[in-house]
Amino acid sequence: MIPSLDPAKLILAPKVVLHDHLDGGLRPQTVIELADAVGYDKLPSTDVADLGRWFADAANSGSLETYLETFAHTVAVMQTASALRRVARECVADLADDGVVYAEVRYAPELHTERELSLDDAVEAVLAGFAEGEADAARRGSPIIVRCLVTAMRHAARSREIAELAVRYRHQGVVGFDIAGAEAGYPPTRHLDAFDYMRANNAHFTIHAGEAFGLPSIHEAIGFCGADRLGHGVRVIDDITLPDGASADDHSFDGAVLGDVANYVRDKRIPLELCPSSNIQTGAVADLASHPFNILARLRFRVTVNTDNRLMSDTTMSNEFRCLSEQFGYGWSDFQRFTVNAMKSAFIPFDQRLALIDDVIKPGYAVLLG
C-alpha cells in the first residue's frame, strides 16, 4: 500500500482520464447560477452543499437508468453557448487542479440544442471553453491537454449525424466518437452505420458496453462494431473463470480461464475505461471489494482508471486512486502502469502520446517513487 495517502501527493501524481462526462462534472455552484440565468426552476435545491449531496445521493440508486435521470438538471442548464463554454472551462480547471495532465471529455451535442444552438454551435462552444481552460491552467503552472469525444445517445437516431460531426471537427479538438445511454434494449449494432462511417474515415471511437447489460454488449461492441476502446467493459469478468477460492483482492490469479471474448479483449489490448465509484453506483458491481478491477489488472488487461461523472459520484481521479489503493494495496508503480495504459490508449497521435509518457508521466512518478 502507498506508505502515506497524503492528499497532496495523490494530487501530484500525473493522471490521464479517458472517460469523463462534461454534463456529469459541473460544480454545484455553477448549476445553481446557470439555472438562475436561464430561469430553470426545477433544481431540488439552490443551496450549494445540499445540491451537491442531492446529486450524489440520487446517483446511489444501484440502477443505471435511475442514475442517468440526474442528468436532466445539468443538461437543462447547458443550452447556451456561454453556459457550455463556462462548464468546459471549469472542467479543465478542476481536472488540472487534481493533477490530470491529459483528458478526453465526452458529451452529447444533440442534448444541447433545445434553445438556439446547432450541433456545430455546441461543439464550437465546448472546444472554445477547453482552449480557455488549458491556457488558464498553463498560466497557473498546471499544464493539461483536454480533447473532446462527441457522443450519440443510443436510444436516439442521430448517431450517423454525430459521427459526421466528429470527423468534421477532428483537427480542431474532437478526437473521437462514442455512444452512451441505457444499454438494455439499445444494442450498439443499432448504430452500425455510424461506426462504419468512423472506420471509413480512419477515425477513433469507443462504445459504452459491459456496464449494465453484460457480456453480450461487449461482444457486439468489439465483434460487430469494431470499438477501439470499451466504455466501462467491467462485465468482461463474466467471461473469466477464477481458480477455486480466489478473491478479488488476491495478488495472483494463476489458473484463471478466459473465454473467447475475454481472450480477444486482452490479446488485442482493447482498453477498458473502468470507473470504480460509478460502477458501484449504477449496479455494475456490488461494492469496491468485489470490483473486478484488480483481477483484470493482475491478468494484464489494459485497465485504466476513470471518473465517469465527478458530480454524481462526488469524486476525482485522486479519490479513485485512493479508493483503489486502500482496497487492493496499490502503490505508485501500479498507478504509473494504469496511467501509462491510459496514455497509450488515448485518441491523439502516437508521437504526442509518447511525449506525454516520456516527458510528463514517467518523470512525475519517478519523483513519487523516490
Side-chain angles (χ1 to χ4, degrees):
M1 184 173 288
I2 296 177
S4 173
L5 286 173
D6 180 352
K9 288 185 178 180
L10 281 170
I11 290 173
L12 283 175
K15 305 171 193 73
V16 172
V17 58
L18 302 177
H19 195 121
D20 186 88
H21 289 266
L22 184 66
D23 52 348
L26 282 72
R27 300 170 182 174
Q29 179 71 48
T30 297
V31 177
I32 293 168
E33 291 178 4
L34 292 179
D36 182 64
V38 298
Y40 181 74
D41 60 1
K42 297 180 181 178
L43 291 181
S45 174
T46 54
D47 178 83
V48 173
D50 286 346
L51 184 62
R53 282 192 295 270
W54 180 87
F55 274 108
D57 291 344
N60 281 318
S61 63
S63 161
L64 176 59
E65 288 74 13
T66 304
Y67 179 91
L68 294 174
E69 290 176 6
T70 60
F71 289 85
H73 299 298
T74 56
V75 170
V77 303
M78 296 169 64
Q79 296 297 328
T80 65
S82 60
L84 284 172
R85 195 164 180 160
R86 173 180 174 176
V87 170
R89 182 176 65 250
E90 291 178 353
C91 169
V92 176
D94 293 344
L95 291 173
D97 288 346
D98 189 42
V100 175
V101 297
Y102 177 83
E104 291 179 4
V105 179
R106 64 189 72 191
Y107 75 110
E110 65 190 271
L111 298 181
H112 303 279
T113 58
E114 294 178 4
R115 294 190 176 217
E116 73 272 16
L117 299 181
S118 66
L119 291 175
D120 289 71
D121 292 336
V123 171
E124 291 169 10
V126 168
L127 293 178
F130 285 165
E132 291 171 0
E134 287 180 341
D136 290 344
R139 283 193 290 270
R140 298 198 315 271
S142 302
I144 181 175
I145 296 171
V146 179
R147 296 294 179 260
C148 180
L149 302 180
V150 291
T151 297
M153 301 309 297
R154 59 200 311 152
H155 64 274
R158 303 187 71 177
S159 54
R160 171 59 185 262
E161 190 178 3
I162 305 302
E164 292 173 356
L165 194 67
V167 171
R168 189 154 66 247
Y169 285 91
R170 70 189 308 177
H171 298 301
Q172 299 173 54
V174 175
V175 295
F177 170 72
D178 172 40
I179 62 168
E183 288 183 54
Y186 303 103
T189 46
R190 294 179 75 240
H191 305 279
L192 281 176
D193 60 334
F195 302 129
D196 288 344
Y197 180 83
M198 293 300 289
R199 283 196 301 270
N201 284 276
N202 304 305
H204 297 291
F205 61 94
T206 180
I207 296 177
H208 277 71
E211 180 186 16
F213 196 64
L215 197 63
S217 68
I218 294 177
H219 177 235
E220 285 199 18
I222 59 176
F224 293 95
C225 304
D228 296 305
R229 301 194 313 237
L230 289 171
H232 300 288
V234 66
R235 298 318 312 170
V236 73
I237 192 65
D238 296 341
D239 202 35
I240 300 173
T241 302
L242 299 176
D244 290 342
S247 64
D249 58 357
D250 287 349
H251 289 274
S252 174
F253 296 94
D254 292 341
V257 178
L258 277 62
D260 291 338
V261 172
N263 255 321
Y264 187 84
V265 170
R266 186 172 68 170
D267 290 350
K268 295 284 285 185
R269 315 308 298 145
I270 296 173
L272 302 175
E273 302 166 359
L274 299 173
C275 308
S277 293
S278 172
N279 294 155
I280 296 166
Q281 288 182 306
T282 62
V285 297
D287 51 36
L288 191 59
S290 59
H291 198 292
F293 187 101
N294 185 58
I295 298 170
L296 299 170
R298 301 292 183 189
L299 289 175
R300 292 292 172 165
F301 283 78
R302 185 175 282 187
V303 298
T304 67
V305 183
N306 301 276
T307 49
D308 201 10
N309 299 290
R310 287 169 286 114
L311 172 61
M312 286 69 176
S313 293
D314 188 22
T315 195
T316 62
M317 283 292 289
S318 291
N319 183 63
E320 297 300 307
F321 276 17
R322 178 187 60 79
C323 291
L324 289 171
S325 175
E326 291 176 353
Q327 182 63 52
F328 300 121
Y330 294 144
W332 296 123
S333 59
D334 298 299
F335 290 128
Q336 175 175 313
R337 176 161 67 92
F338 304 151
T339 303
V340 170
N341 278 352
M343 199 65 249
K344 285 180 178 178
S345 308
F347 287 163
I348 57 173
F350 173 78
D351 57 340
Q352 296 176 31
R353 284 180 273 149
L354 192 62
L356 280 165
I357 291 171
D358 290 343
D359 301 338
V360 178
I361 295 170
K362 287 184 176 179
Y365 280 98
V367 172
L368 294 168
L369 287 163

